[in-house]
Amino acid sequence: MSATGWAGLVPRAREVRQDDGPPFVWGSGTALVAGPGARGAARWLRGLAALPWCEGAGTPEAPGTQEHPEHPENTVELRIDPGRAPESYLLHVTADRVLVAGGDAAGVFRGVQTLRQLLPPAAFRRAATAGSWEVPAGAAEDAPRFGWRGLLLDTARHFVPKDGVLRTLDLLALHKLNVLHLHLTDDQGWRMEIRRHPRLTEVGGWRSRTRVGHRASPLWDERPHGGHYTQDDLREIVAYAAERHITVVPEIELPGHSQAAIAAYPELGSADGGAQVWTDWGVSPHLLAPTDEVLRFYEEVLEEVLEVFPSPFVHIGGDETPKDQWRESAVAQERIAREGLRDEDALQAWMVRHFDRWLAARGRRMTGWDEILQGGTLRDGLTPGAVVSSWRGYEGGVAAARAGHDVVMCPEHELYLDRRQAPGEDEPVPLGYVSTLRDVYEMQPVPAELEREGHAERVLGVQANMWTECAESVQRLDYQMFPRLAAVAELAWSGPGHAWDDFAARLAEAHLARLDACGVDYRPAAGPRPWQRRPGIPGRPLE
């Protein structure tokens, strides 16, 4: 069977049946009927400009929840089936009716994404290009393997304008991904408006120039680079995501990766002045000072973060914190002595625990990179809700799960999308180890030891991380993310262990045409197109 229609879904559905009966004909006579709880998905579906609808019949505003809608012979019906699990759905297509029954509103929305993939690629365009389409008869019963199916988008290294974030959310929705981890602060830029501390964006939001390529590169872009999101921008992003049943998880880095904040407010730092928003890449030596004043400053930042982001998860970073400044700082050493801490690693653990408990007291769950496990945090107690993002392989995730903490798996060798996708000189800005599409697809989210020990349920899911040191535009983001993000989506939704050849066929025969219709400038299987190459820009390839 050709990998189109019911056989061409990405991500794959758990159970699919293609029937021999006549197709459903979707055209200007098609009515949309939505039951209670399904009207958000109906509004979204009716808003797709490429899809024809019967005017005035069964609109989301007049949902037509009766058993026999006005056009029973040509109806798309969306409804909640409370007997189903969250995010699960049934999609059933006959000649007369398309039914999407979801376990909740998110399940209805996921089912609508599957329905959209049964239409030709033109259904993914932004304007109508055909009068009617045929939807093949059949059915799918489907539910996700993991509850956390995410993408990190780094807006600190290269700013991604609001429209680029909204476009990314549309692409996540298409692939049934449900978390956007928004990396908002780093050494190279602060991207969220904080009204009590305006210099964070006025000063920290801009750097004087930018290194082109990896940090060993001699090339520079001498133009200033920056930008930020107002709180109204971020509320719009959050609302746009919520309509697509995507949670936006904000990240505010501390105590490292904070040079932009220290440049804006030098009193935050552990050294005596002189910090500017960093123009280079890598790991900055600048750390926040472990003072009561700095803790309160970041509490004020997080108070505004909590007002904007309703996410139950708030990421505090916690990675890559060289301790030289703390070793030389009388203030840091005094704090170590006062708190009875063992060393500088324990000082970082003390700061992590402070914000863990602060967030927990406000009903939120702290999330951090796997370095938050260092310095005695597990021994001395993170709150039960703390979540670990395991990026340096799997070891941190295994340790956290064994200690009773939830884990998001995002190992760098497989799921860092800034990494090169193939060997060879044509691959632009080679960073790290090669991470091919197949490497991503065949990644195992749950380590075997967690399965054996009964801790598998601690793995909330998987997340791909798109760092933007060498991705300065939406076009570059497209190239790095796609089609690998489609493999992440299937891994997260369908689970590991499915045949690579089957996925590759569905991708080539059906899904790339959808990405083409969406205008995604993905990496072709044969290698980068001429305009996707970046000759002469040094990277940092590893074996």
Side-chain angles (χ1 to χ4, degrees), residues 243-269:
E243 289 176 349
R244 290 147 181 80
H245 299 277
I246 296 170
T247 299
V248 182
V249 176
E251 180 176 355
I252 304 295
E253 283 265 17
L254 60 91
H257 287 292
S258 300
Q259 187 168 328
I262 295 168
Y265 293 95
E267 63 271 22
L268 297 175

mmCIF file of all heavy atoms in Angstrom, residues 243-269:
data_model
loop_
_atom_site.group_PDB
_atom_site.id
_atom_site.type_symbol
_atom_site.label_atom_id
_atom_site.label_comp_id
_atom_site.label_asym_id
_atom_site.label_seq_id
_atom_site.Cartn_x
_atom_site.Cartn_y
_atom_site.Cartn_z
ATOM 1 N N GLU A 243 -5.001 27.583 22.389
ATOM 2 C CA GLU A 243 -5.997 27.187 21.391
ATOM 3 C C GLU A 243 -5.596 25.901 20.676
ATOM 4 O O GLU A 243 -6.441 25.172 20.155
ATOM 5 C CB GLU A 243 -6.181 28.305 20.363
ATOM 6 C CG GLU A 243 -6.886 29.538 20.905
ATOM 7 C CD GLU A 243 -6.954 30.662 19.878
ATOM 8 O OE1 GLU A 243 -6.264 30.543 18.840
ATOM 9 O OE2 GLU A 243 -7.682 31.633 20.118
ATOM 10 N N ARG A 244 -4.310 25.617 20.655
ATOM 11 C CA ARG A 244 -3.771 24.413 20.002
ATOM 12 C C ARG A 244 -3.369 23.358 21.030
ATOM 13 O O ARG A 244 -2.695 22.388 20.694
ATOM 14 C CB ARG A 244 -2.574 24.819 19.124
ATOM 15 C CG ARG A 244 -3.019 25.616 17.904
ATOM 16 C CD ARG A 244 -2.018 26.659 17.461
ATOM 17 N NE ARG A 244 -2.551 27.394 16.305
ATOM 18 C CZ ARG A 244 -3.441 28.393 16.400
ATOM 19 N NH1 ARG A 244 -3.882 28.783 17.587
ATOM 20 N NH2 ARG A 244 -3.883 28.986 15.305
ATOM 21 N N HIS A 245 -3.775 23.565 22.276
ATOM 22 C CA HIS A 245 -3.509 22.631 23.373
ATOM 23 C C HIS A 245 -2.013 22.372 23.524
ATOM 24 O O HIS A 245 -1.557 21.233 23.671
ATOM 25 C CB HIS A 245 -4.308 21.342 23.176
ATOM 26 C CG HIS A 245 -5.783 21.589 23.166
ATOM 27 N ND1 HIS A 245 -6.530 21.696 24.315
ATOM 28 C CD2 HIS A 245 -6.639 21.822 22.126
ATOM 29 C CE1 HIS A 245 -7.789 21.955 23.998
ATOM 30 N NE2 HIS A 245 -7.876 22.045 22.679
ATOM 31 N N ILE A 246 -1.272 23.480 23.514
ATOM 32 C CA ILE A 246 0.172 23.468 23.715
ATOM 33 C C ILE A 246 0.477 24.308 24.952
ATOM 34 O O ILE A 246 -0.027 25.421 25.097
ATOM 35 C CB ILE A 246 0.907 24.038 22.485
ATOM 36 C CG1 ILE A 246 0.676 23.134 21.259
ATOM 37 C CG2 ILE A 246 2.400 24.193 22.762
ATOM 38 C CD1 ILE A 246 1.162 23.748 19.960
ATOM 39 N N THR A 247 1.298 23.773 25.838
ATOM 40 C CA THR A 247 1.738 24.488 27.028
ATOM 41 C C THR A 247 3.048 25.200 26.726
ATOM 42 O O THR A 247 3.979 24.591 26.183
ATOM 43 C CB THR A 247 1.954 23.510 28.196
ATOM 44 O OG1 THR A 247 0.714 22.864 28.502
ATOM 45 C CG2 THR A 247 2.468 24.240 29.438
ATOM 46 N N VAL A 248 3.135 26.484 27.066
ATOM 47 C CA VAL A 248 4.371 27.242 26.898
ATOM 48 C C VAL A 248 5.090 27.278 28.244
ATOM 49 O O VAL A 248 4.571 27.816 29.223
ATOM 50 C CB VAL A 248 4.109 28.671 26.391
ATOM 51 C CG1 VAL A 248 5.434 29.408 26.188
ATOM 52 C CG2 VAL A 248 3.317 28.633 25.081
ATOM 53 N N VAL A 249 6.278 26.676 28.285
ATOM 54 C CA VAL A 249 7.086 26.611 29.503
ATOM 55 C C VAL A 249 8.184 27.668 29.403
ATOM 56 O O VAL A 249 9.057 27.577 28.545
ATOM 57 C CB VAL A 249 7.702 25.216 29.679
ATOM 58 C CG1 VAL A 249 8.627 25.183 30.899
ATOM 59 C CG2 VAL A 249 6.608 24.156 29.813
ATOM 60 N N PRO A 250 8.165 28.692 30.265
ATOM 61 C CA PRO A 250 9.198 29.724 30.203
ATOM 62 C C PRO A 250 10.470 29.276 30.918
ATOM 63 O O PRO A 250 10.416 28.544 31.913
ATOM 64 C CB PRO A 250 8.555 30.900 30.939
ATOM 65 C CG PRO A 250 7.683 30.231 31.968
ATOM 66 C CD PRO A 250 7.166 28.969 31.322
ATOM 67 N N GLU A 251 11.611 29.723 30.395
ATOM 68 C CA GLU A 251 12.880 29.478 31.073
ATOM 69 C C GLU A 251 13.570 30.796 31.377
ATOM 70 O O GLU A 251 13.816 31.603 30.477
ATOM 71 C CB GLU A 251 13.814 28.599 30.241
ATOM 72 C CG GLU A 251 15.144 28.344 30.955
ATOM 73 C CD GLU A 251 16.083 27.409 30.216
ATOM 74 O OE1 GLU A 251 15.685 26.858 29.178
ATOM 75 O OE2 GLU A 251 17.234 27.238 30.687
ATOM 76 N N ILE A 252 13.879 30.999 32.644
ATOM 77 C CA ILE A 252 14.661 32.129 33.139
ATOM 78 C C ILE A 252 15.917 31.541 33.779
ATOM 79 O O ILE A 252 15.841 30.903 34.824
ATOM 80 C CB ILE A 252 13.874 32.968 34.166
ATOM 81 C CG1 ILE A 252 12.534 33.454 33.571
ATOM 82 C CG2 ILE A 252 14.718 34.128 34.670
ATOM 83 C CD1 ILE A 252 12.669 34.413 32.417
ATOM 84 N N GLU A 253 17.077 31.741 33.156
ATOM 85 C CA GLU A 253 18.312 31.079 33.577
ATOM 86 C C GLU A 253 18.884 31.674 34.872
ATOM 87 O O GLU A 253 18.915 32.891 35.044
ATOM 88 C CB GLU A 253 19.368 31.207 32.479
ATOM 89 C CG GLU A 253 19.150 30.266 31.308
ATOM 90 C CD GLU A 253 19.947 28.981 31.427
ATOM 91 O OE1 GLU A 253 20.427 28.649 32.538
ATOM 92 O OE2 GLU A 253 20.114 28.309 30.396
ATOM 93 N N LEU A 254 19.358 30.778 35.746
ATOM 94 C CA LEU A 254 20.119 31.176 36.924
ATOM 95 C C LEU A 254 20.834 29.944 37.488
ATOM 96 O O LEU A 254 20.393 28.822 37.236
ATOM 97 C CB LEU A 254 19.208 31.804 37.988
ATOM 98 C CG LEU A 254 18.052 30.949 38.556
ATOM 99 C CD1 LEU A 254 18.452 30.142 39.805
ATOM 100 C CD2 LEU A 254 16.862 31.838 38.880
ATOM 101 N N PRO A 255 21.933 30.077 38.206
ATOM 102 C CA PRO A 255 22.722 31.294 38.459
ATOM 103 C C PRO A 255 23.706 31.620 37.337
ATOM 104 O O PRO A 255 24.317 32.679 37.349
ATOM 105 C CB PRO A 255 23.458 30.950 39.748
ATOM 106 C CG PRO A 255 23.705 29.475 39.640
ATOM 107 C CD PRO A 255 22.477 28.921 38.961
ATOM 108 N N GLY A 256 23.918 30.688 36.405
ATOM 109 C CA GLY A 256 24.780 30.954 35.261
ATOM 110 C C GLY A 256 23.973 31.394 34.061
ATOM 111 O O GLY A 256 22.762 31.603 34.136
ATOM 112 N N HIS A 257 24.653 31.517 32.911
ATOM 113 C CA HIS A 257 24.005 31.999 31.690
ATOM 114 C C HIS A 257 23.220 33.280 31.970
ATOM 115 O O HIS A 257 22.106 33.472 31.466
ATOM 116 C CB HIS A 257 23.095 30.923 31.097
ATOM 117 C CG HIS A 257 23.847 29.796 30.440
ATOM 118 N ND1 HIS A 257 24.572 29.974 29.281
ATOM 119 C CD2 HIS A 257 23.998 28.496 30.779
ATOM 120 C CE1 HIS A 257 25.128 28.813 28.937
ATOM 121 N NE2 HIS A 257 24.811 27.906 29.837
ATOM 122 N N SER A 258 23.804 34.156 32.781
ATOM 123 C CA SER A 258 23.102 35.351 33.256
ATOM 124 C C SER A 258 23.837 36.635 32.934
ATOM 125 O O SER A 258 23.557 37.685 33.528
ATOM 126 C CB SER A 258 22.892 35.254 34.786
ATOM 127 O OG SER A 258 22.137 34.118 35.128
ATOM 128 N N GLN A 259 24.759 36.611 31.975
ATOM 129 C CA GLN A 259 25.584 37.785 31.724
ATOM 130 C C GLN A 259 24.772 38.961 31.204
ATOM 131 O O GLN A 259 25.078 40.118 31.521
ATOM 132 C CB GLN A 259 26.714 37.442 30.736
ATOM 133 C CG GLN A 259 27.721 38.577 30.556
ATOM 134 C CD GLN A 259 28.968 38.141 29.820
ATOM 135 O OE1 GLN A 259 29.389 37.006 29.929
ATOM 136 N NE2 GLN A 259 29.564 39.060 29.054
ATOM 137 N N ALA A 260 23.731 38.700 30.423
ATOM 138 C CA ALA A 260 22.910 39.814 29.928
ATOM 139 C C ALA A 260 22.220 40.532 31.088
ATOM 140 O O ALA A 260 22.131 41.768 31.107
ATOM 141 C CB ALA A 260 21.883 39.311 28.917
ATOM 142 N N ALA A 261 21.713 39.766 32.061
ATOM 143 C CA ALA A 261 21.082 40.386 33.240
ATOM 144 C C ALA A 261 22.100 41.170 34.047
ATOM 145 O O ALA A 261 21.808 42.283 34.522
ATOM 146 C CB ALA A 261 20.437 39.307 34.103
ATOM 147 N N ILE A 262 23.304 40.642 34.192
ATOM 148 C CA ILE A 262 24.355 41.329 34.962
ATOM 149 C C ILE A 262 24.813 42.590 34.236
ATOM 150 O O ILE A 262 25.112 43.612 34.875
ATOM 151 C CB ILE A 262 25.521 40.355 35.219
ATOM 152 C CG1 ILE A 262 25.045 39.216 36.128
ATOM 153 C CG2 ILE A 262 26.716 41.079 35.822
ATOM 154 C CD1 ILE A 262 26.011 38.057 36.223
ATOM 155 N N ALA A 263 24.839 42.559 32.896
ATOM 156 C CA ALA A 263 25.174 43.766 32.141
ATOM 157 C C ALA A 263 24.144 44.861 32.392
ATOM 158 O O ALA A 263 24.476 46.054 32.468
ATOM 159 C CB ALA A 263 25.259 43.440 30.649
ATOM 160 N N ALA A 264 22.883 44.473 32.539
ATOM 161 C CA ALA A 264 21.819 45.450 32.783
ATOM 162 C C ALA A 264 21.844 45.969 34.214
ATOM 163 O O ALA A 264 21.626 47.161 34.461
ATOM 164 C CB ALA A 264 20.467 44.810 32.473
ATOM 165 N N TYR A 265 22.119 45.082 35.170
ATOM 166 C CA TYR A 265 22.148 45.436 36.586
ATOM 167 C C TYR A 265 23.413 44.837 37.191
ATOM 168 O O TYR A 265 23.412 43.708 37.709
ATOM 169 C CB TYR A 265 20.899 44.893 37.295
ATOM 170 C CG TYR A 265 19.613 45.565 36.853
ATOM 171 C CD1 TYR A 265 18.812 45.003 35.855
ATOM 172 C CD2 TYR A 265 19.212 46.763 37.425
ATOM 173 C CE1 TYR A 265 17.638 45.624 35.443
ATOM 174 C CE2 TYR A 265 18.034 47.389 37.030
ATOM 175 C CZ TYR A 265 17.260 46.819 36.024
ATOM 176 O OH TYR A 265 16.105 47.445 35.619
ATOM 177 N N PRO A 266 24.534 45.564 37.142
ATOM 178 C CA PRO A 266 25.813 45.005 37.590
ATOM 179 C C PRO A 266 25.804 44.493 39.026
ATOM 180 O O PRO A 266 26.586 43.596 39.363
ATOM 181 C CB PRO A 266 26.779 46.181 37.421
ATOM 182 C CG PRO A 266 26.168 47.024 36.346
ATOM 183 C CD PRO A 266 24.684 46.909 36.550
ATOM 184 N N GLU A 267 24.928 45.033 39.865
ATOM 185 C CA GLU A 267 24.888 44.583 41.258
ATOM 186 C C GLU A 267 24.429 43.133 41.401
ATOM 187 O O GLU A 267 24.566 42.521 42.472
ATOM 188 C CB GLU A 267 23.961 45.486 42.078
ATOM 189 C CG GLU A 267 22.507 45.491 41.653
ATOM 190 C CD GLU A 267 22.180 46.534 40.579
ATOM 191 O OE1 GLU A 267 23.105 46.970 39.866
ATOM 192 O OE2 GLU A 267 20.991 46.892 40.476
ATOM 193 N N LEU A 268 23.909 42.545 40.317
ATOM 194 C CA LEU A 268 23.508 41.139 40.353
ATOM 195 C C LEU A 268 24.701 40.197 40.295
ATOM 196 O O LEU A 268 24.591 39.022 40.664
ATOM 197 C CB LEU A 268 22.577 40.815 39.177
ATOM 198 C CG LEU A 268 21.231 41.537 39.117
ATOM 199 C CD1 LEU A 268 20.512 41.168 37.832
ATOM 200 C CD2 LEU A 268 20.374 41.203 40.336
ATOM 201 N N GLY A 269 25.850 40.684 39.823
ATOM 202 C CA GLY A 269 26.968 39.809 39.528
ATOM 203 C C GLY A 269 27.852 39.512 40.718
ATOM 204 O O GLY A 269 27.813 40.181 41.759
#
